Amino acid sequence: MNSIRLLKRLKCNEKLLLQLWSAPKLKRTFLSEAYSCSEAWNKRLESPLLQKINPLDFYLEMDQKIQNQNKIAAVDADIFANCVQDDSQSDELADILHKLRMTRESSFTLESTHHAVIRYYLSIGQTDVLLNILDDRLNYGIFCNYFDYNLLMDYFIKQKDFASAAKVASFMMLQEEFDHPISNALAVYSCHKYLENPDTWQGVDPEVERLKSEPKEEVKIRVRYIRNPYFDDHFDLWKPSDLVGKTLFWVGSFGLDGPLGRTCQLRGAVLYRKYTEAIQILKKWKEECTKEVVYKEVLPLIKKDVPELFESTEPTEEMKELQKLVLDLESADLYQENLEQDMENLIKKAVKAHSEKDMAEQVKLYEEWLEKRVQVLKIHLAELDKISRLAKIEDMKKDLADRERVLTFFEKEEQIELAIEEKLAKEKELYGDESEEVTDDEENYIPPEIVTKQGEKR
């Protein structure tokens, strides 16, 4: 009997193992499902304001207003961004954002608009469109907050799309936002994982794109002056290595400390080709006899990231000095732990310490955004009502003036004739006398006869 029971247990265990093996593998993620606050976010659709809106009709109404008045209200764009749900309005939302950005109303864009755009494109899976919108700040003006950065990076890490996660981290760097521990930890992890396969992100030179878009025929345009080329070394960056390198360098400098922070600083500075900064920080650590200065495993990674630094046949003096300092670093007091594992532990620690606070603050923000949207809409409607009433008053004043002119014509006939004479005199002075006599030639002018090719008159 015991042997029979044992066989049954083995068969059950075998079935269980087969089920586990055939089950879909869970993808890596650091943030819980609750962190997205989806339930609280969806409550916005229950507001009476958004329930009255038909997205398609509302878009057509806004588009007509733009064509007629060349104006769009920031609160209208916010309402549209918050009420769209399916992917059929993807192009319309991008169009509204661009048109809003081209007006003065762009400075009044509500905070909820940025978040709504990000949540919408994530929900419909159009992440490429979203990244293009976030990257084109000049034409769309959509920016993330820390909560958005965390949602986006965690989403792309879960999809193993580390190139997109690193792009989001670079947006955080460009906005110089390094105050949130979860965002900092996710940023360095995203950049680290992306550098394992850097070919997944191909940067596009904006100058090459500009030349492609220009007409092939040579067109000469007279300009008052030629603007000198300028590179700000920040928003003008386009190479993935520069963007990721600067992200690692700045997050390591301002958002992290200890061996991990120093490791990110060194790797980022070298990847960013800021050899002078790399030399300075290496000399500083050497003079201060810093213990466990960087992770040991980062040294081969640096050689892999920038092979030309160590393989160049004609290295500069700066490159030679940096090579020597990096080689000397191999014999220094290095940190022996696993770099990637420590990055993951840092994320888990930050999530455990700050996720509850983030969720509470975000739910509170959702409630504040609902109230603010209603308040701004009331102010906007009151302004429109004021403009409408002023326009009606102007029409009434004009109508009364016309009626007064008719009723008092005979009383003010002399004044009206004098005004007409003065106006005619001014026109004569400006344009000359157009009442010239018709010459004899003009009176005796006979138009030519039109004949066909055979000489017949028509």
Side-chain angles (χ1 to χ4, degrees):
M1 291 293 294
N2 292 333
S3 60
I4 294 173
R5 289 179 181 175
L6 181 61
L7 286 171
K8 287 182 178 179
R9 286 182 182 178
L10 287 173
K11 287 183 178 180
C12 291
N13 291 336
E14 183 181 0
K15 290 181 180 179
L16 180 61
L17 289 172
L18 287 172
Q19 288 176 357
L20 292 173
W21 181 260
S22 60
K25 303 297 186 293
L26 295 176
K27 296 181 180 179
R28 177 46 156 260
T29 182
F30 294 103
L31 301 178
S32 65
E33 290 293 330
Y35 187 86
S36 62
C37 303
S38 298
E39 185 177 348
W41 170 245
N42 291 331
K43 283 184 179 179
R44 78 195 189 283
L45 299 173
E46 299 174 6
S47 67
L49 173 61
L50 295 184
Q51 285 182 343
K52 296 177 182 177
I53 301 297
N54 182 299
L56 181 58
D57 295 340
F58 192 55
Y59 169 75
L60 294 174
E61 183 181 338
M62 284 191 293
D63 188 59
Q64 187 176 7
K65 188 182 293 185
I66 293 168
Q67 293 179 13
N68 296 336
Q69 304 175 9
N70 195 24
K71 188 177 181 181
I72 180 174
V75 68
D76 288 343
D78 181 72
I79 292 171
F80 184 69
N82 277 273
C83 70
V84 291
Q85 296 183 65
D86 56 75
D87 57 0
S88 61
Q89 275 96 34
S90 170
D91 294 338
E92 285 80 357
L93 179 57
D95 180 57
I96 288 296
L97 293 173
H98 174 66
K99 288 175 178 175
L100 174 64
R101 188 63 171 172
M102 296 298 106
T103 66
R104 295 180 181 179
E105 280 286 313
S106 177
S107 58
F108 303 107
T109 302
L110 302 180
E111 290 182 21
S112 55
T113 306
H114 304 274
H115 186 74
V117 170
I118 292 166
R119 296 288 295 242
Y120 168 70
Y121 282 107
L122 265 185
S123 67
I124 63 174
Q126 293 189 8
T127 53
D128 291 340
V129 178
L130 175 59
L131 289 175
N132 289 333
I133 289 174
L134 292 174
D135 193 31
D136 195 352
R137 293 164 289 276
L138 185 63
N139 282 306
Y140 295 101
I142 297 298
F143 302 92
C144 299
N145 59 17
Y146 289 117
F147 189 79
D148 298 327
Y149 289 131
N150 297 344
L151 284 182
L152 288 170
M153 284 189 283
D154 185 70
Y155 174 85
F156 288 124
I157 290 170
K158 187 176 181 180
Q159 302 297 324
K160 295 186 178 181
D161 185 0
F162 299 112
S164 296
K167 286 180 186 179
V168 176
S170 70
F171 298 152
M172 191 176 82
M173 176 273 296
L174 292 173
Q175 296 305 121
E176 302 182 24
E177 296 175 331
F178 311 107
D179 297 329
H180 200 288
I182 297 178
S183 301
N184 293 335
L186 287 171
V188 295
Y189 180 81
S190 300
C191 294
H192 173 76
K193 295 296 290 181
Y194 155 73
L195 289 171
E196 293 178 357
N197 188 12
D199 294 334
T200 53
W201 179 2
Q202 297 295 331
V204 179
D205 188 346
E207 185 65 20
V208 173
E209 288 296 304
R210 185 185 65 81
L211 292 174
K212 286 181 179 179
S213 62
E214 287 184 352
K216 295 182 179 180
E217 296 181 3
E218 185 177 355
V219 179
K220 294 183 179 180
I221 303 174
R222 184 182 295 276
V223 294
R224 295 180 64 183
Y225 59 89
I226 298 176
R227 194 180 297 275
N228 292 328
Y230 177 74
F231 182 75
D232 69 353
D233 203 23
H234 192 69
F235 291 108
D236 291 335
L237 295 174
W238 62 271
K239 291 182 180 178
S241 58
D242 291 342
L243 289 166
V244 173
K246 192 168 185 176
T247 302
L248 284 173
F249 182 65
W250 276 19
V251 175
S253 301
F254 306 115
L256 301 174
D257 53 15
L260 182 57
R262 291 190 291 271
T263 299
C264 292
Q265 286 183 55
L266 178 60
R267 190 180 188 186
V270 175
L271 188 64
Y272 184 30
R273 269 73 171 180
K274 295 297 179 181
Y275 298 148
T276 303
E277 285 81 352
I279 291 170
Q280 289 175 353
I281 59 177
L282 284 171
K283 286 182 176 179
K284 178 185 175 184
W285 296 337
K286 189 174 182 179
E287 290 171 0
E288 295 176 352
C289 298
T290 305
K291 300 296 182 181
E292 297 180 336
V293 54
V294 294
Y295 280 75
K296 182 178 181 180
E297 64 180 280
V298 80
L299 300 180
L301 294 177
I302 289 174
K303 295 177 182 178
K304 176 189 171 185
D305 293 339
V306 192
E308 62 269 21
L309 176 63
F310 301 91
E311 300 173 4
S312 176
T313 55
E314 298 179 357
T316 62
E317 292 299 321
E318 190 178 52
M319 293 171 68
K320 290 179 182 178
E321 184 178 5
L322 182 56
Q323 286 178 27
K324 184 177 183 304
L325 288 169
V326 171
L327 293 174
D328 292 343
L329 197 62
E330 294 178 353
S331 58
D333 183 12
L334 300 176
Y335 198 60
Q336 303 294 327
E337 299 297 326
N338 184 278
L339 177 59
E340 184 173 326
Q341 187 63 50
D342 282 359
M343 286 181 174
E344 293 179 1
N345 292 336
L346 179 66
I347 297 173
K348 293 174 184 177
K349 182 180 177 181
V351 169
K352 185 177 180 180
H354 300 278
S355 60
E356 293 294 331
K357 181 182 176 183
D358 287 357
M359 291 161 61
E361 290 179 351
Q362 197 62 31
V363 170
K364 185 180 178 181
L365 269 178
Y366 290 156
E367 296 173 355
E368 291 176 359
W369 288 346
L370 285 173
E371 295 176 2
K372 187 172 183 179
R373 185 180 302 118
V374 174
Q375 292 174 1
V376 173
L377 182 61
K378 286 181 179 178
I379 295 171
H380 177 62
L381 292 176
E383 186 67 25
L384 290 177
D385 183 57
K386 179 182 176 182
I387 293 171
S388 176
R389 284 185 290 144
L390 288 173
K392 288 180 180 178
I393 291 171
E394 289 297 323
D395 291 341
M396 290 173 63
K397 288 168 67 176
K398 184 179 179 183
D399 183 57
L400 288 172
D402 292 340
R403 292 172 63 184
E404 182 184 6
R405 191 179 299 111
V406 172
L407 294 172
T408 60
F409 174 77
F410 294 104
E411 297 177 9
K412 300 179 180 180
E413 185 176 2
E414 294 182 359
Q415 296 178 9
I416 294 172
E417 289 179 354
L418 286 172
I420 293 172
E421 289 178 2
E422 289 177 0
K423 186 176 180 181
L424 291 173
K426 286 181 180 179
E427 290 181 354
K428 184 177 180 180
E429 184 179 348
L430 289 172
Y431 307 110
D433 190 3
E434 296 181 356
S435 59
E436 296 179 357
E437 295 182 359
V438 180
T439 61
D440 293 339
D441 294 337
E442 291 177 346
E443 286 183 348
N444 300 327
Y445 174 74
I446 299 174
E449 294 180 350
I450 301 173
V451 295
T452 61
K453 290 182 180 181
Q454 289 78 10
E456 298 177 355
K457 295 181 181 180
R458 294 182 60 186

